[in-house]
Amino acid sequence: MKTYEIINHTADVGLRIYGRNLEGLFLNAASAMFEIMLEQVKKRPIFGRTEHMRFLLNKQGNNIEEVFVAWLSELLYLFSAEGLVMEKANMHKLDLNCIQAEVIGRAFDSDFERIKTEIKAVTYHELEIKEDKRGWQAQVIFDI
Amino acid sequence: MSDIWQGPLEKIDNWHWRIPKSYKSGMRVPGVIFADERLLKDIRQDKAPEQVANVAFLPGIMKYSLAMPDIHWGYGFPIGGVAATDVKDGGVISPGGVGFDINCGVRLLKTNFQYDEIREKIKDLVYVLFSDIPSGVGSKGEIKVSQKEEREILVKGARWAVQKGYGIEDDLECTEEYGAMSGADPYAVSERAYERGKAQSGTLGSGNHFLEIQAIDQLYDRQICEQLGLRLGLITIMIHSGSRGLGYQVCDDNVKGMIRCLDKYHINVPDRQLACAPLESPEGRQYLAAMKCAANYAWANRQCLMHLTRRSFERVFNESWQSMGMYLIYDVAHNIAKIERHIIDGKEMTLCVHRKGATRAFAPGHPALPERYKQIGQPVIIPGDMGRNSYLLVGTQKAMQETFGSTCHGAGRLKSRSAALRSININQLMRELEERNIFVKASGRGTIVEEAPAAYKDVNDVVDVVANAGIAKRVCRMRPLGVIKG
């Protein structure tokens, strides 16, 4: 099952993201965002030392859209301020008004990867999150 | 998502098209788009006209929701949108009407060089500038600042840089707002915004940001050119950059806060990205004070970038920048909200003018202009894409009457980045640019393709419209020689 696709937007980048459940949707959205931002320039040595980072995240919102934007915005912030590239996350709590998660990732390392697209922000424009028989779907536009 | 827009666009004359107020219930004023028939076809290709209509919902909006001919689909406001709200009568300010890159803008400086004198040096210059000027995403500058200093930058703007020795007093006179808006409150800026902006002063940024060496290839107003010391074949330099991570975070923080204001102040807008608050509310004041900080940061940043450019030229030519005549013509913001006085139906009013991908274009004699530009009007700098042209214009009285003293800001995108990546071949593009004697250096090949000329409207068409409509006057045109892309 594909986890996301790029949708057309004249100036920015739009994504449609899929997930079997809400948790899957949030994780797939985060992976998609990092995939758009970064590209590998050199293979990492298998036994190399990679610095790992952990952050606890706790965000509230009035609805699922706000929680979704808060989640991605926080990851974007952690990336630009702390250099965190998310690799996985343990969701402790996720509902229509709240997300609590432990985000684990590596420190961005320009020896192995480069930023191909700068995402400035996650926007609310045409934001849509819905549940259907196959699971959850979200549409989001990033300002780049 | 890019179906042709089917809404009503009524022809007013060859350059003005109206979206009637009746198009959507909730519109407080009509929309007006500046375009000719040809550009209008492109404009209908995306949702930008719908966004013009959506902006017309903003409480306190005066006369019309405007769009310049370089309009294209953004988020909330269209890019190329102008909207003025009445400060006294519950008018709102919307962070989405400014954008994430607060005070993204351009500056133009001249030199004493003629193209023929330095044509052999263009490649050297591009390499030196590329290595001296930190560009690309997340780039960190060599100009380091402490946290205390960072607060100072947010208040003093470009003046901070000049005081550090990165420029001269004259540079400030040639910068919109003299390089700093008053009323900036560093305490209105969140810690997170400081964290994101840290160490990015003096960096170009990425995406459509650039530094370009150009030559003047056409003069339109010889008298103004003479006054500015500009002649055919003269080398100019253009710098396009903004407020970097600090500005993005200021916008992000305030959009979130203002979504709550929609309920609190009973505001009905069709897009959450148009979240706003009355100017005379705690939230409105807080955003304006923080936005000014980000704007000042951007002016300091462009001042630092100009300083680094002057230094690179000094290294290459072994001369002082003064003897090379590297003086600033002007610096304009094209993502900003300003409190300005305008005449509406014969009455002077205080308005909050949002320019989202639009440039201030004040007429001759305007009190905000420095003495040297009182007679000719405010210089307006219009960057085009890397393969075509850029322009120097000046503001007009008609812009004061029709557009709250505003005009276009660039070429305007035509193709999405992914469409550009799909349809443009990098090798062919590089060959074409080389054939036209344009040398480009970017931190990634993808950026060059995404920013390819074919991804943009022709800036010449855009400028034709604003000149014919009279909301700016052409002074001269430049063509690119060397381009550094973030």
Side-chain angles (χ1 to χ4, degrees):
Chain A
M1 180 177 153
K2 65 180 169 200
T3 57
Y4 77 95
E5 59 192 327
I6 291 180
I7 48 180
N8 234 358
H9 186 282
T10 319
D12 299 309
V13 166
L15 289 186
R16 188 166 297 119
I17 305 140
Y18 306 92
R20 278 205 184 89
N21 48 33
L22 207 50
E23 197 178 309
L25 181 79
F26 274 56
L27 291 172
N28 289 343
S31 309
M33 186 172 80
F34 281 102
E35 241 177 83
I36 287 173
M37 280 199 288
L38 302 176
E39 76 185 350
Q40 199 180 38
V41 287
K42 207 164 95 186
K43 259 208 153 134
R44 267 165 214 283
I46 302 167
F47 301 108
R49 272 191 312 178
T50 309
E51 194 189 331
H52 275 87
M53 304 164 99
R54 275 161 206 275
F55 288 90
L56 283 176
L57 180 153
N58 181 9
K59 292 275 154 192
Q60 273 82 37
N62 281 336
N63 46 51
I64 190 64
E65 283 88 2
E66 285 187 24
V67 177
F68 185 76
V69 170
W71 157 247
L72 293 179
S73 301
E74 187 66 15
L75 293 175
L76 196 56
Y77 170 76
L78 288 173
F79 173 71
S80 34
E82 309 285 347
L84 170 84
V85 181
M86 189 192 104
E87 286 173 332
K88 61 177 189 172
N90 300 319
M91 297 281 182
H92 298 318
K93 186 180 172 190
L94 175 60
D95 60 32
L96 302 185
N97 300 103
C98 171
I99 181 166
Q100 288 172 353
E102 181 190 26
V103 181
I104 302 157
R106 59 176 188 269
F108 173 75
D109 185 344
S110 56
D111 286 347
F112 301 104
E113 54 202 332
R114 65 177 284 275
I115 306 170
K116 63 173 172 181
T117 307
E118 177 181 40
I119 295 180
K120 292 177 188 158
V122 186
T123 78
Y124 286 92
H125 179 59
E126 304 221 326
L127 177 68
E128 212 177 74
I129 298 178
K130 59 186 182 203
E131 192 180 9
D132 57 25
K133 342 189 250 288
R134 286 184 301 175
W136 285 80
Q137 219 188 90
Q139 172 178 295
V140 64
I141 290 168
F142 297 115
D143 179 25
I144 63 171
Chain B
M1 278 171 83
S2 56
D3 300 332
I4 291 174
W5 190 73
Q6 301 292 353
L9 275 170
E10 302 168 355
K11 185 171 183 173
I12 304 172
D13 58 30
N14 288 339
W15 322 111
H16 299 79
W17 305 80
R18 185 191 303 112
I19 303 174
K21 211 171 113 177
S22 56
Y23 168 56
K24 258 178 153 176
S25 118
M27 283 174 73
R28 295 166 187 263
V29 291
V32 171
I33 298 177
F34 281 76
D36 57 15
E37 302 255 6
R38 200 163 31 144
L39 284 171
L40 207 65
K41 277 200 199 111
D42 294 335
I43 291 170
R44 278 194 183 275
Q45 297 294 317
D46 66 22
K47 295 186 182 174
E50 190 68 22
Q51 294 188 304
V52 176
N54 291 347
V55 170
F57 279 63
L58 294 179
I61 186 167
M62 300 298 295
K63 287 172 84 172
Y64 26 54
S65 158
L66 283 170
M68 298 297 129
D70 45 341
I71 175 186
H72 59 84
W73 187 14
Y75 42 88
F77 269 57
I79 314 298
V82 176
T85 56
D86 180 0
V87 175
K88 294 273 174 294
D89 195 25
V92 293
I93 184 164
S94 171
V98 174
F100 287 94
D101 198 357
I102 296 166
N103 189 5
C104 180
V106 245
R107 65 172 51 194
L108 179 70
L109 52 157
K110 67 181 201 68
T111 70
N112 286 339
F113 294 115
Q114 283 293 123
Y115 174 52
D116 288 340
E117 292 174 283
I118 69 157
R119 64 190 307 168
E120 305 302 327
K121 289 268 192 190
I122 301 288
K123 271 195 180 172
D124 289 352
L125 275 170
V126 169
Y127 274 109
V128 171
L129 287 163
F130 190 75
S131 70
D132 285 1
I133 293 176
S135 64
V137 202
S139 49
K140 293 184 176 170
E142 81 171 79
I143 295 170
K144 297 265 185 290
V145 290
S146 65
Q147 198 176 6
K148 187 176 152 259
E149 245 182 332
E150 199 159 311
R151 289 188 206 279
E152 212 182 308
I153 296 177
L154 303 194
V155 175
K156 289 186 177 169
R159 179 168 294 283
W160 168 85
V162 168
Q163 283 172 349
K164 291 282 273 191
Y166 308 145
I168 55 168
E169 197 66 28
D170 265 22
D171 296 338
L172 301 177
E173 213 182 286
C174 296
T175 305
E176 189 171 323
E177 298 287 333
Y178 297 81
M181 289 175 90
S182 62
D185 177 6
Y187 295 95
V189 173
S190 70
E191 275 307 312
R192 296 163 70 85
Y194 282 107
E195 281 300 314
R196 264 184 95 172
K198 212 162 60 182
Q200 285 187 333
S201 308
T203 65
L204 191 59
S206 70
N208 62 359
H209 291 155
F210 67 79
L211 191 149
E212 201 171 279
I213 305 170
Q214 316 166 322
I216 297 179
D217 77 343
Q218 195 152 345
L219 305 181
Y220 294 92
D221 191 312
R222 285 174 188 275
Q223 210 181 341
I224 295 180
C225 284
E226 206 163 295
Q227 259 175 287
L228 297 173
L230 303 175
R231 48 187 192 274
L232 218 53
L234 196 82
I235 299 294
T236 58
I237 299 149
M238 194 174 273
I239 299 170
H240 179 208
S241 185
S243 52
R244 316 284 285 107
L246 182 118
Y248 314 160
Q249 194 63 39
V250 165
C251 181
D252 205 52
D253 290 342
N254 284 278
V255 169
K256 285 203 173 71
M258 284 198 184
I259 283 178
R260 311 262 173 279
C261 293
L262 296 176
D263 276 345
K264 183 174 170 188
Y265 299 108
H266 313 292
I267 296 168
N268 165 33
V269 284
D271 179 353
R272 264 175 292 183
Q273 202 63 40
L274 287 173
C276 54
L279 278 138
E280 295 196 334
S281 69
E283 297 87 351
R285 278 190 287 269
Q286 145 104 14
Y287 169 65
L288 189 58
M291 184 215 74
K292 287 173 174 176
C293 289
N296 294 348
Y297 180 91
W299 273 310
N301 197 28
R302 287 198 291 277
Q303 181 69 31
C304 290
L305 289 169
M306 179 171 74
H307 165 72
L308 295 172
T309 306
R310 284 169 169 167
R311 230 179 41 183
S312 300
F313 268 69
E314 286 180 335
R315 279 213 302 151
V316 171
F317 293 103
N318 216 4
E319 264 189 76
S320 76
W321 67 261
Q322 288 92 340
S323 70
M324 290 182 278
M326 296 179 73
Y327 290 97
L328 182 60
I329 298 284
Y330 206 60
D331 175 304
V332 291
H334 55 221
N335 277 358
I336 205 152
K338 296 272 193 75
I339 307 298
E340 295 170 359
R341 309 277 296 166
H342 287 276
I343 310 281
I344 308 290
D345 301 327
K347 212 174 89 197
E348 198 181 59
M349 294 180 76
T350 305
L351 306 179
C352 176
V353 183
H354 298 73
R355 298 190 181 94
K356 165 84 171 285
T359 316
R360 195 183 76 173
F362 280 174
H366 195 285
L369 300 184
E371 221 35 65
R372 67 177 79 192
Y373 296 138
K374 275 261 158 61
Q375 202 200 333
I376 63 170
Q378 181 212 306
V380 174
I381 299 150
I382 308 296
D385 62 74
M386 63 168 104
R388 285 188 278 233
N389 297 105
S390 295
Y391 278 85
L392 177 66
L393 317 173
V394 282
T396 61
Q397 205 51 51
K398 203 151 182 218
M400 302 311 298
Q401 291 156 3
E402 283 194 15
T403 56
F404 312 103
S406 316
T407 196
C408 65
H409 89 303
R413 271 197 94 90
L414 192 60
K415 265 193 190 148
S416 70
R417 288 166 212 265
S418 51
L421 285 171
R422 271 198 307 274
S423 62
I424 297 165
N425 175 298
I426 175 92
N427 296 324
Q428 195 188 335
L429 170 64
M430 293 304 274
R431 241 189 343 266
E432 278 169 19
L433 290 170
E434 212 177 296
E435 275 163 18
R436 278 186 271 171
N437 286 321
I438 303 166
F439 181 59
V440 184
K441 190 111 184 60
S443 47
R445 283 159 75 88
T447 314
I448 302 183
V449 176
E450 284 176 15
E451 294 296 315
Y456 283 88
K457 298 180 197 180
D458 187 341
V459 70
N460 295 293
D461 296 342
V462 170
V463 169
D464 272 352
V465 172
V466 295
N468 286 326
I471 56 169
K473 185 161 85 170
R474 279 182 282 230
V475 175
C476 64
R477 188 178 80 171
M478 288 74 78
R479 69 182 171 86
L481 303 169
V483 186
I484 290 138
K485 275 280 179 190

